[in-house]
Amino acid sequence: MIFQRQDSSVRCALVKALLMMVFFMIPVIETNAAVDPNFYIFLCFGQSNMEGAARPEAQDLTGVDERFQMMAAVDDEQRGRKMGQWYKAIPPLCRPNNGLTPVDYFGRTLTSVLPENIKVGVINVAIGGIRIEGFMADSIANYVKTAPGWMKGMLKAYDDNPYNHLVKLGKLAQQSGVIKGILMHQGESNTGDPDWAKKVQYVYDHLLGDLNLKPEEVPLLAGEVVQAGGQGLCVSMNAQIKDLPNTIHTSHVVSSDGCSNGPDKLHFDAEGYREMGRHYGEKMLNLLGYEVAVKPIEIPADAFLAETTIPGQEFPKVDKDRRAYFRILAPDAKKVQVDICNKVYDMQRDQRGVWTGVTDPLVVGFHYYFLKIDGVSVIDPSTDTFFGCNRQAGGIEIPEGSEGDYYRPQIGVPRGQVRSINYWSEAKKEWRHAMVYTPAEYDLKKNIKKRYPVLYLQHGMGEDETGWSRQGHMQHIMDNLINSGEAVPMIVVMESGDVKAPFNFRTGGPNTQEHSQYGASFYKVLLNDLIPFIDTTFRTRTDRDHRAMAGLSWGGHQTFDVVLRNMDKFSYMGAFSGAIFGLDVSKAYDGIFTRPDEFNRQIHYLYLSCGSEENFGTEALVKSLRDAGIKTDFYVSPGTHHEWLTWRRCFRQFVPHLFK
């Protein structure tokens, strides 16, 4: 009997323990069951443009999908909302007296694309004018003490701690769904703060830690501030915002391009908030793996065909603000970009697979460009091709105004010819190609016995003998100068110079003056083959006083090497942005610069030039030559870099000094 009583008591204890276990397990099971993995939640914080500074319009108060919900961040008696509870996301989504925010159309954009079984929830804790320190756990207490009076009430709505308030609501939201991202629009109050990115990282890291989130699963979306066509009061902050991913690798910048603004140039207007919200939504959808239909790029009615566009094609185009527009059909491509002027622009795809892209305003002049299709650089089939960048390349001309007429053909001006010739080089045992300009009068019967001086004109590294006539328009410059009487009629010879392939800086030896082997194989060709061929084929004046050489960039390097070693054959020389590196005026070329009287007697004209925005050392070279007593003419092209517009201007200034 005693044993039986013990057994019974043991059984009772076991049953009691099991009941207790079941009792305590029930809430856990119910809580886990309430978490919906298809309820995507997004935390939103920032300042006035996040809380909303534009009055909602009729279109903003209707048409909200039932799947788009907001958690009330504060009590709203007027609308019957209680803090911490979910409601249909009808504005205002922040506090009772706020307006339309990017969050409104962020949610609308998501629900328009996401599957029907996925809901979207947002929590918006924002305060107008707040600095990022107002969301930093270690700074908020002091920030509240020093906050301006008009901000006190807004801070009070969040119990004087907007960060803790956001975390509290975030934890509550995690009982219903899954946090998928964090949206931030902040920066206007920290414009120019060099530590802003680190402070944002502090807030982001603490949110992840306090809510037990993984950064690779919860990205940070940071929106750009109002641009107002470059006149936004805080537009300079966008440079720092764009740089944020260098500090936070899981952050993504949301562009404010095309987002209209109010008259204060600080806040978006209603349409600006809608567009900014769409930008946030499209970025988040892409991160979630969804393809988003984007707003098509609008082509201004005044956009015109670029002069480099192939006849019959509708693109490329250029508008009055010097933006270039490109279009290509590539239905199977996943990504298409335009690579121009050291910047890569994403193109947009329509449903038919037509991709359209637009650039920022470009500087005037000629520019090489490529299309990048799924990472492969190709030539735009709608544009003329030009040899540059060591290969055939696309090119586009951004036109100057009337100041560029000197390189354009003019009505009533006699036109010379650019002839394509082939000649045999004994020095290299090969057939070679050159382009030769002859002035308009060359073929006139009355000039059948007239002989002409010759300019040997070289291009730069990675280009070829067609560069000066195609990219440089030298023939039009010559025609116009000869017609105006500024230049004497002359023959101009252009050869490849053996610099079409890139210079190999690892195995190609030094690139300093006199010692570089890059392009040096051309020197014997020029002296022993090309000059004799030109003198026997064309009516030239063959003495040194009627022979000149000039070149741009590496062509300037070659000019120095050739002329200064063969002063018995040339008497004029010029270098435009010349790649004249390592020149020691006390030793170079057998010390010719130490004998200024001899140099100035033999070289009738030495001309150096460059663009004001490039840094090729030309000005320092000119000073060293002048200090040595060498007569040197110097020209600077205003506002241009290492580019064809610089060299057109340099050529135009150089030619009138020849053979006079």
Side-chain angles (χ1 to χ4, degrees):
M1 293 295 294
I2 296 175
F3 175 80
Q4 290 178 343
R5 285 197 298 269
Q6 289 176 337
D7 185 54
S8 177
S9 63
V10 171
R11 286 200 302 271
C12 288
L14 287 171
V15 171
K16 184 177 180 180
L18 287 170
L19 289 173
M20 290 294 291
M21 289 175 64
V22 172
F23 177 81
F24 285 110
M25 287 176 64
I26 287 173
V28 176
I29 294 171
E30 289 181 346
T31 301
N32 288 339
V35 176
D36 183 359
N38 290 324
F39 188 13
Y40 292 0
I41 297 168
F42 300 88
L43 307 182
C44 312
F45 74 96
Q47 50 195 109
S48 55
N49 273 318
M50 182 58 85
E51 67 179 6
R55 184 185 299 276
E57 298 172 355
Q59 61 181 300
D60 308 314
L61 302 173
T62 60
V64 178
D65 195 302
E66 295 288 343
R67 295 180 296 129
F68 179 25
Q69 299 184 7
M70 54 86 73
M71 176 180 280
V74 297
D75 290 338
D76 185 348
E77 294 182 4
Q78 178 183 348
R79 296 171 181 83
R81 295 173 178 174
K82 293 291 184 181
M83 182 184 70
Q85 295 185 16
W86 292 106
Y87 300 91
K88 187 176 180 180
I90 297 175
L93 303 187
C94 191
R95 296 188 311 280
N97 295 322
N98 293 141
L100 197 65
T101 109
V103 183
D104 286 278
Y105 281 79
F106 166 77
R108 289 184 183 226
T109 302
L110 262 60
T111 52
S112 69
V113 174
L114 292 173
E116 289 292 325
N117 65 318
I118 295 179
K119 297 187 300 180
V120 174
V122 295
I123 303 171
N124 191 353
V125 174
I127 295 178
I130 196 168
R131 292 178 63 86
I132 193 64
E133 289 86 347
F135 290 97
M136 297 174 66
D138 64 350
S139 304
I140 183 62
N142 185 63
Y143 187 85
V144 171
K145 292 178 183 178
T146 59
W150 53 264
M151 191 185 291
K152 298 287 187 181
M154 292 184 279
L155 287 166
K156 193 67 177 177
Y158 301 125
D159 300 319
D160 286 334
N161 198 319
Y163 174 79
N164 280 352
H165 199 83
L166 183 59
V167 170
K168 178 175 67 175
L169 295 176
K171 288 181 177 179
L172 187 60
Q174 286 177 310
Q175 297 178 22
S176 304
V178 181
I179 296 177
K180 287 286 188 177
I182 300 173
L183 279 60
M184 179 188 76
H185 200 283
Q186 199 282 332
E188 294 98 327
S189 298
N190 287 82
T191 301
D193 182 353
D195 296 322
W196 177 80
K198 293 180 180 178
K199 294 173 182 177
V200 173
Q201 183 178 32
Y202 177 95
V203 177
Y204 180 58
D205 288 347
H206 276 68
L207 283 173
L208 296 177
D210 289 341
L211 294 170
N212 194 27
L213 303 172
K214 297 178 180 179
E216 60 270 19
E217 296 176 355
V218 184
L220 173 67
L221 274 61
E224 291 182 347
V225 302
V226 165
Q227 296 189 27
Q231 301 300 311
L233 293 186
C234 299
V235 70
S236 63
M237 187 63 189
N238 282 341
Q240 290 178 255
I241 296 172
K242 289 177 181 177
D243 195 52
L244 187 62
N246 289 326
T247 300
I248 304 174
H249 75 278
T250 52
S251 67
H252 301 269
V253 177
V254 178
S255 172
S256 61
D257 284 352
C259 297
S260 53
N261 56 276
D264 63 1
K265 297 181 181 179
L266 184 64
H267 298 97
F268 300 107
D269 60 15
E271 182 53 33
Y273 282 115
R274 296 181 194 112
E275 188 64 17
M276 193 68 194
R278 296 183 191 107
H279 290 188
Y280 271 104
E282 291 163 1
K283 178 66 72 173
M284 193 66 231
L285 285 167
N286 286 331
L287 294 174
L288 291 171
Y290 292 89
E291 186 173 335
V292 185
V294 297
K295 184 178 179 180
I297 293 173
E298 296 183 3
I299 312 298
D302 62 356
F304 53 89
L305 287 177
E307 66 181 66
T308 44
T309 300
I310 293 175
Q313 299 295 322
E314 297 181 359
F315 289 86
K317 288 183 176 180
V318 181
D319 69 17
K320 63 180 179 59
D321 296 319
R322 306 194 311 275
R323 291 183 176 88
Y325 299 82
F326 304 91
R327 183 168 289 174
I328 188 172
L329 175 64
D332 296 327
K334 293 181 174 60
K335 187 172 187 178
V336 181
Q337 300 169 298
V338 178
D339 183 355
I340 185 170
C341 294
N342 299 313
K343 186 171 182 179
V344 178
Y345 300 86
D346 290 335
M347 298 178 72
Q348 294 183 6
R349 183 187 190 279
D350 68 12
Q351 294 180 342
R352 298 182 297 115
V354 175
W355 297 77
T356 304
V358 59
T359 69
D360 296 333
L362 301 173
V363 297
V364 295
F366 175 86
H367 306 292
Y368 298 113
Y369 78 93
F370 296 94
L371 299 182
K372 297 180 71 173
I373 300 180
D374 291 339
V376 179
S377 184
V378 300
I379 300 172
D380 183 352
S382 297
T383 190
D384 279 341
T385 57
F386 306 82
F387 196 90
C389 310
N390 309 112
R391 55 174 286 192
Q392 290 293 337
I396 188 170
E397 186 80 29
I398 306 300
E400 286 190 283
S402 58
E403 68 272 19
D405 285 347
Y406 71 92
Y407 60 77
R408 299 184 180 112
Q410 301 296 316
I411 296 174
V413 173
R415 303 279 293 275
Q417 294 185 20
V418 177
R419 311 172 189 229
S420 173
I421 65 164
N422 293 287
Y423 69 100
W424 175 257
S425 168
E426 190 63 29
K428 295 196 71 175
K429 306 295 184 184
E430 64 183 16
W431 285 99
R432 295 178 66 96
H433 181 248
M435 309 298 291
V436 180
Y437 166 84
T438 54
E441 66 172 46
Y442 184 84
D443 291 318
L444 297 179
K445 288 184 178 180
K446 66 178 182 178
N447 295 322
I448 197 68
K449 293 184 178 181
K450 183 176 179 178
R451 293 187 173 273
Y452 294 85
V454 183
L455 165 63
Y456 289 85
L457 183 63
Q458 292 304 115
H459 54 85
M461 181 186 296
E463 294 165 334
D464 74 358
E465 63 273 20
T466 64
W468 267 110
S469 57
R470 302 215 55 222
Q471 293 96 294
H473 301 316
M474 57 76 51
Q475 66 275 31
H476 306 318
I477 299 173
M478 289 299 309
D479 290 341
N480 293 331
L481 289 175
I482 293 171
N483 183 70
S484 66
E486 294 178 73
V488 301
M490 68 186 76
I491 294 170
V492 183
V493 180
M494 298 151 281
E495 223 267 18
S496 75
D498 293 343
V499 294
K500 294 170 68 172
F503 182 88
N504 189 330
F505 287 93
R506 290 188 299 174
T507 61
N511 67 340
T512 54
Q513 210 65 38
E514 287 194 286
H515 301 291
S516 175
Q517 294 303 304
Y518 180 67
S521 57
F522 171 62
Y523 301 163
K524 285 187 177 180
V525 173
L526 172 65
L527 297 169
N528 300 338
D529 300 316
L530 181 57
I531 290 177
F533 176 82
I534 294 297
D535 286 344
T536 57
T537 306
F538 295 88
R539 301 193 309 276
T540 65
R541 301 187 70 171
T542 60
D543 59 298
R544 65 177 299 277
D545 289 331
H546 293 91
R547 190 178 294 130
M549 185 173 180
L552 68 89
S553 194
W554 202 265
H557 182 117
Q558 293 180 310
T559 296
F560 266 57
D561 279 0
V562 170
V563 174
L564 297 177
R565 290 292 189 190
N566 299 275
M567 294 172 68
D568 60 323
K569 295 180 174 63
F570 298 88
S571 59
Y572 297 84
M573 60 186 294
F576 321 145
S577 310
I580 303 166
F581 306 129
L583 183 68
D584 185 344
V585 295
S586 66
K587 298 179 181 178
Y589 306 109
D590 299 325
I592 185 60
F593 298 123
T594 64
R595 305 188 299 276
D597 291 342
E598 177 185 345
F599 180 93
N600 295 332
R601 184 174 61 254
Q602 294 194 67
I603 298 299
H604 303 327
Y605 185 63
L606 169 60
Y607 171 88
L608 297 177
S609 58
C610 61
S612 64
E613 306 307 305
E614 59 181 324
N615 185 20
F616 245 49
T618 307
E619 187 172 359
L621 175 62
V622 170
K623 184 179 185 305
S624 67
L625 291 171
R626 287 177 172 174
D627 288 346
I630 303 299
K631 294 180 180 179
T632 309
D633 200 0
F634 182 41
Y635 166 76
V636 177
S637 167
T640 57
H641 295 75
H642 203 68
E643 58 181 289
W644 275 104
L645 186 55
T646 294
W647 306 322
R648 292 173 186 171
R649 292 174 177 175
C650 294
F651 182 75
R652 188 255 176 272
Q653 297 296 323
F654 172 65
V655 169
H657 296 276
L658 300 181
F659 311 123
K660 292 183 177 179

